[in-house]
Structure formats: structure tokens, C-alpha cells
Amino acid sequence: MAELVVTHDIAAPQQQVWDVLVDWDVHDQWMLGTRATGGHGVGEPVEAFTGVGRLGFLDTMTIVVWEPPHRAVVRHTGTVVRGSGAFEVRDLGAGRSRVVWSEWVDLPFGAVGRLGWPVAKMAVAAGVRFSLRRLQRYVESGRAGAR
């Protein structure tokens, strides 16, 4: 099992950040190369296609914890990504929030996957950090409520 945890602070209230995180239809506005659709509660499905054009993969998930506006946990059920993922939105006060993005995934390719994880982890973490900076700009710009 491989673990990844990335945090990022946003100058917006917890509820506003949560609302954007769970608005699957706007994930393509801030999440690197990802389009998503999904539900809003325990047992609901979420699907995220990550890639360019038709080149990429479908990450299917089931929501297993749903605690608005604090935390959502999903079980990755696809063929490429298996394991769990979560995001938390922590209220920092004064209209600020901290997003904590976590993944616990089963690595593919056995020993080769485990050996390659340190390098892959750096790339995945960089992608998540990039996406969370885009989320910050999206939320702080006010575009989120203007759809």
C-alpha cells in the first residue's frame, strides 16, 4: 500500500471550498487533466477520467464516508487505481481553509511498482499540488459561484 498526503491552504471559508471539491462537473476547471461525475453521499458512485483526449484511464470510485463540509472518503474500484482516497477541508478561521488530499493505493506491477513508487510518488504529489493551487485560484477568484 502506497500513501500520499498533500495539504494546501485556501483563503475561503470551509463550506465554499467543500462545495467546489464536490461539484464533480467543475473538476476539469482545476484538477489536472481530469473530468468527473458523481454523487453526493455514502454508496454513491464517482467516475473520473484522467488523460488527454481518449488517452487516459477511468478511475471508478464509491463514496464510503460523506461528512459535509469536512471529509469525503472514496474506495477506488477501477482496474488502474485500487485503494482509497480522501479529502478533508479544515476550517482555519478568518475565512481560511486547509485541504488535505490523501491517497492509499495498491501499487500495480508487484515488486517493480513498489521499487518505482518513490519516483512515481514525486510526480503524483507534484500533480496534486499543481491541482490544489489551481483549486485555490478557482475558489478565490469567485468563478466557482458564477457558473
Side-chain angles (χ1 to χ4, degrees):
M1 184 76 50
E3 180 181 55
L4 174 74
V5 179
V6 177
T7 64
H8 191 78
D9 292 355
I10 298 176
Q14 180 184 41
Q15 186 69 53
Q16 183 180 355
V17 174
W18 172 267
D19 289 345
V20 174
L21 280 169
V22 300
D23 185 350
W24 310 114
D25 294 337
V26 300
H27 268 228
D28 64 335
Q29 298 294 308
W30 60 269
M31 192 71 181
L32 184 61
T34 301
R35 295 181 310 274
T37 61
H40 294 94
V42 172
E44 294 287 319
V46 176
E47 290 187 348
F49 180 83
T50 300
V52 177
R54 293 181 185 217
L55 184 60
F57 66 93
L58 182 64
D59 183 7
T60 58
M61 297 163 264
T62 301
I63 298 170
V64 295
V65 175
W66 188 258
E67 299 170 347
H70 308 286
R71 182 168 72 122
V73 180
V74 298
R75 185 176 19 48
H76 295 281
T77 59
T79 56
V80 176
V81 181
R82 306 280 300 172
S84 297
F87 59 78
E88 296 176 63
V89 184
R90 297 179 182 165
D91 183 2
L92 299 178
R96 296 187 56 80
S97 302
R98 175 168 296 140
V99 176
V100 180
W101 192 285
S102 306
E103 297 287 343
W104 303 273
V105 295
D106 296 323
L107 296 171
F109 311 118
V112 173
R114 288 188 297 279
L115 286 172
W117 175 240
V119 173
K121 181 178 183 178
M122 289 188 304
V124 173
V128 173
R129 279 193 295 275
F130 177 83
S131 294
L132 291 178
R133 286 191 301 272
R134 284 178 58 176
L135 172 68
Q136 175 187 6
R137 288 191 297 273
Y138 184 74
V139 171
E140 291 176 2
S141 74
R143 288 183 293 165
R147 293 189 320 116

